[in-house]
Amino acid sequence: MYKILGTDQREYGPVASDKVREWVAQGRANSQTMVSFEGGPWKALGTFPEFADILRSAAPPPLAQPTYVTGAATLKTSTLSNWGLACSALGFCCFPLALAGIVCSIMGLMEINKNPQSFSTSKTVPIIGLVLGLFLVVGNILLFISGAFTHILDRFPR
Amino acid sequence: MTTANQTPPLAASIGRKWGLTLFLSVLLLPLAAEVLLKLGIAWPCAFKMITGLPCATCGGTRALAALGRLDLLSALRFNPMVACAAIVLVFLPFVRYRPNPKVFWPFFWTFVGLNWLYLIFFLPP
């Protein structure tokens, strides 16, 4: 009997190999999914020769970060949060990037909030990204409304 | 926690969310850039204001707006890195290949450096 670790970091099973095959066929598991056989160590499903045929014929691997588990789940980095912060910071130079920073930071924050124990990235990272992005957007609007923008553009042409 | 008699979520769910975010960002950015340029309220680069030199993303707003008009050559002329990044991001959710970080990051930073040199010498006014 097998247990698998879903993308929601929860264990599913124990189930028979036919059920695992069914999940692979449905795209619920793939070669990177961590599996424990009969309570043994967690290994990637791709290392189990009995599933090689179904994995070859199944859908392509997901774009999700693979989760490597050796007894306990390893903490992941929230890539979205990091990109959100980077984009928001670059918004000082290229304003539209602040919008991308806001979107990525919100998604990163949601990702961390959904499963905080599986991320090594602190919530502070997407929050800073979000605040920075919003600061730039609000600042831009205020400069536009106050007329200061025209003065800045005259002094510092793009 | 073991969850028996339940079905795990789709393995690609995070990948799809990631793709959706980037797709929205890439759609959003050219539109925002175009609106900002049309209204004349595109933010002047803070780095350029201070140093007088263009930063690595200078010309990015114009490149994104050009991409929105599907004018690829102009986009590449204004900022090759931003134009390439926007194009790559559109297709990223559908690409299975994941580069080795040891190869990717040196390549990435070299690209950023070369792009910056191009902007310093050739960025259109």
Side-chain angles (χ1 to χ4, degrees):
Chain A
M1 299 291 269
Y2 300 84
K3 279 197 287 187
I4 83 161
L5 194 70
T7 50
D8 56 356
Q9 306 303 313
R10 296 172 70 188
E11 290 177 17
Y12 291 87
V15 292
S17 64
D18 286 348
K19 194 70 186 172
V20 177
R21 285 169 170 276
E22 189 185 318
W23 285 343
V24 171
Q26 290 171 349
R28 299 180 191 282
N30 56 45
S31 59
Q32 294 163 350
T33 302
M34 300 310 292
V35 176
S36 167
F37 176 61
E38 302 291 2
W42 290 92
K43 292 192 291 186
L45 187 59
T47 63
F48 288 80
E50 59 268 38
F51 297 111
D53 55 337
I54 184 78
L55 287 171
R56 266 197 303 272
S57 58
L63 298 165
Q65 291 277 343
T67 307
Y68 301 100
V69 177
T70 49
T74 308
L75 295 176
K76 295 184 292 185
T77 305
S78 172
T79 316
L80 275 172
S81 303
N82 292 343
W83 278 109
L85 181 58
C87 285
S88 290
L90 285 172
F92 278 102
C93 297
C94 179
F95 178 71
L97 290 179
L99 301 175
I102 291 171
V103 174
C104 288
S105 295
I106 290 172
M107 296 297 284
L109 194 58
M110 284 164 62
E111 186 181 65
I112 294 174
N113 274 340
K114 199 173 172 185
N115 212 342
Q117 67 274 19
S118 64
F119 286 99
S120 60
T121 309
S122 160
K123 271 188 198 176
T124 317
V125 175
I127 288 172
I128 292 174
L130 190 58
V131 170
L132 204 56
L134 289 173
F135 169 76
L136 285 170
V137 170
V138 173
N140 210 25
I141 292 169
L142 288 178
L143 284 173
F144 180 59
I145 292 170
S146 67
F149 217 106
T150 319
H151 176 68
I152 293 172
L153 287 175
D154 286 344
R155 194 163 169 205
F156 301 102
R158 297 189 74 254
Chain B
M1 178 185 11
T2 301
T3 312
N5 303 321
Q6 278 188 22
T7 310
L10 287 173
S13 60
I14 294 175
R16 283 176 187 162
K17 190 167 72 179
W18 170 247
L20 180 70
T21 310
L22 291 176
F23 196 67
L24 282 174
S25 302
V26 169
L27 271 180
L28 177 77
L29 289 178
L31 194 67
E34 186 69 36
V35 170
L36 287 166
L37 287 173
K38 280 267 178 351
L39 293 176
I41 55 167
W43 181 259
C45 174
F47 185 85
K48 195 176 178 184
M49 281 199 282
I50 295 165
T51 64
L53 288 172
C55 78
T57 61
C58 267
T61 308
R62 286 171 284 172
L64 288 167
L67 270 184
R69 296 190 300 268
L70 300 178
D71 185 356
L72 186 60
L73 282 179
S74 296
L76 288 170
R77 203 162 54 90
F78 284 127
N79 191 316
M81 183 181 72
V82 170
C84 289
I87 293 165
V88 168
L89 290 182
V90 172
F91 296 104
L92 192 65
F94 312 105
V95 177
R96 289 171 61 182
Y97 172 71
R98 285 288 170 273
N100 181 346
K102 284 181 183 168
V103 177
F104 174 77
W105 288 112
F107 175 80
F108 175 79
W109 289 115
T110 306
F111 186 44
V112 171
L114 289 174
N115 180 68
W116 201 353
L117 283 176
Y118 164 81
L119 294 175
I120 289 169
F121 292 109
F122 303 111
L123 176 66

